[in-house]
Amino acid sequence: MYGRTRRYYRRQRRREEIRGYLRTFVWVLTVICILVVAVAMAVQTNTSKVVAAEIQEVPISTDEAKLLDVASVMTKGSGRAALTAVENAKAEVNRVIVIDPGHGGMDGGCGFAGVLEKDINREIADKVADKLQARGYRVVLARKADELMDKADRIEEANRLNARLYVSIHQNSYKDNSVSGIETWYDESDETGAAKRLATLIQQEVIKATGGVDRGLASDPEMCVTSKSKMPSCLIETGFLSNEAERKKLETNEYQDQLAEGIANAIDLYLHPATVYLV
């Protein structure tokens, strides 16, 4: 009887010791888990601070601010993903927009009453470039002076530059000098629809800015400017030099500025859609 009692108490003590070991183990494990979580949170917080500091060191232009909401990116992914998105955005905005003043040099385009198309094209293109640059875009003029340049060479250079967009500016003419208005050409064979969307916006915004006659969109698959470019492109005929009233408007700085404002607004809307439009 006494022996059984001793064995019973020994088993009891072992159980108590095991329970004590388990309690100690659980307590130590809990402390370790708390420490691991605390360290992980500290590392994450520090990483976020480093990422934020690195992002602040990246110059953000007006265009980049529109292109990328850094805070939104950081809430959806890791800090490194946010940095990658910033770098991708910077690479995108560093791509140029090519504005092409049609004709040039010995190729004056159409001309009436001493007014040459190449000159009007250049004056409008310069204003478009100024307005886009003021909004933070990088712009290249396909023709920088009164020089003769082949259309294919202009497109080839734009393709080489991996341009974001290509917009060519021209003037119109017709045997019936009563015809007037603005029209925009694009390549309807573009299956992405990007060219039509660009042309639609340009036609829409230029008409809105000038109040000119809306001649709508047109397509020509053989047109070099629109068919050979690797980026979305279009060609706008901003008016008829054969129409005296329209020609006189096209000579004025005020009307040229309205045309340029419409083109710049359209490009801005294309790159940063803010409204719903039909295509």
Side-chain angles (χ1 to χ4, degrees):
M1 180 71 177
Y2 178 72
R4 286 199 298 273
T5 302
R6 290 183 64 184
R7 286 196 297 273
Y8 171 77
Y9 282 114
R10 281 201 299 269
R11 287 197 295 271
Q12 286 290 94
R13 284 198 299 271
R14 282 199 295 271
R15 291 192 188 100
E16 290 297 327
E17 288 173 355
I18 291 170
R19 291 193 188 99
Y21 293 148
L22 287 174
R23 283 195 293 270
T24 302
F25 176 76
V26 170
W27 181 83
V28 171
L29 184 61
T30 301
V31 171
I32 291 173
C33 289
I34 292 172
L35 289 173
V36 169
V37 170
V39 170
M41 292 179 65
V43 170
Q44 183 176 6
T45 301
N46 186 59
T47 301
S48 298
K49 290 179 179 178
V50 171
V51 169
E54 290 182 14
I55 289 175
Q56 288 173 0
E57 291 174 2
V58 178
I60 302 296
S61 71
T62 302
D63 191 27
E64 287 173 357
K66 293 178 181 178
L67 184 64
L68 178 66
D69 183 346
V70 177
S72 175
V73 172
M74 291 185 68
T75 58
K76 294 179 182 178
S78 67
R80 186 54 53 187
L83 279 178
T84 301
V86 170
E87 291 305 314
N88 289 340
K90 286 175 67 61
E92 175 66 15
V93 298
N94 281 333
R95 294 171 61 196
V96 300
I97 297 168
V98 176
I99 303 298
D100 174 19
H103 304 283
M106 295 177 62
D107 177 15
C110 64
F112 294 85
V115 179
L116 295 178
E117 178 183 356
K118 67 173 184 177
D119 297 329
I120 302 297
N121 295 345
R122 177 64 191 280
E123 289 167 355
I124 296 172
D126 284 346
K127 290 178 172 61
V128 173
D130 289 343
K131 290 178 183 296
L132 289 174
Q133 287 168 347
R135 301 182 191 204
Y137 295 103
R138 293 185 65 221
V139 183
V140 168
L141 291 171
R143 170 169 68 88
K144 300 177 179 62
D146 185 14
E147 54 189 341
L148 180 64
M149 292 183 64
D150 187 85
K151 290 178 288 187
D153 291 341
R154 303 183 196 206
I155 294 297
E156 184 178 339
E157 178 63 11
N159 289 337
R160 187 190 68 77
L161 291 171
N162 188 31
R164 301 172 81 179
L165 301 173
Y166 190 102
V167 178
S168 190
I169 298 172
H170 286 257
Q171 308 307 311
N172 224 332
S173 66
Y174 193 62
K175 58 185 178 182
D176 180 354
N177 59 18
S178 67
V179 176
S180 65
I182 299 164
E183 61 191 34
T184 304
W185 293 71
Y186 72 102
D187 181 7
E188 64 183 0
S189 67
D190 172 21
E191 295 180 356
T192 68
K196 184 177 182 181
R197 185 160 70 91
L198 177 62
T200 299
L201 283 170
I202 284 185
Q203 183 71 14
Q204 166 190 297
E205 293 302 308
V206 170
I207 294 300
K208 186 188 300 183
T210 63
V213 176
D214 187 354
R215 292 176 55 85
L217 302 182
S219 175
D220 181 358
E222 301 301 319
M223 184 177 286
C224 178
V225 166
T226 56
S227 65
K228 303 299 182 185
S229 61
K230 294 180 180 179
M231 71 293 301
S233 61
C234 66
L235 182 152
I236 180 170
E237 302 270 10
T238 63
F240 282 75
L241 293 183
S242 52
N243 181 291
E244 182 179 2
E246 194 157 64
R247 181 173 68 248
K248 288 181 177 179
K249 285 199 303 183
L250 286 163
E251 288 185 272
T252 67
N253 185 71
E254 180 182 4
Y255 192 69
Q256 290 173 6
D257 193 71
Q258 291 172 359
L259 290 164
E261 185 70 19
I263 295 171
N265 286 343
I267 290 172
D268 196 32
L269 279 173
Y270 178 89
L271 294 173
H272 305 100
T275 58
V276 176
Y277 46 84
L278 300 177
V279 295

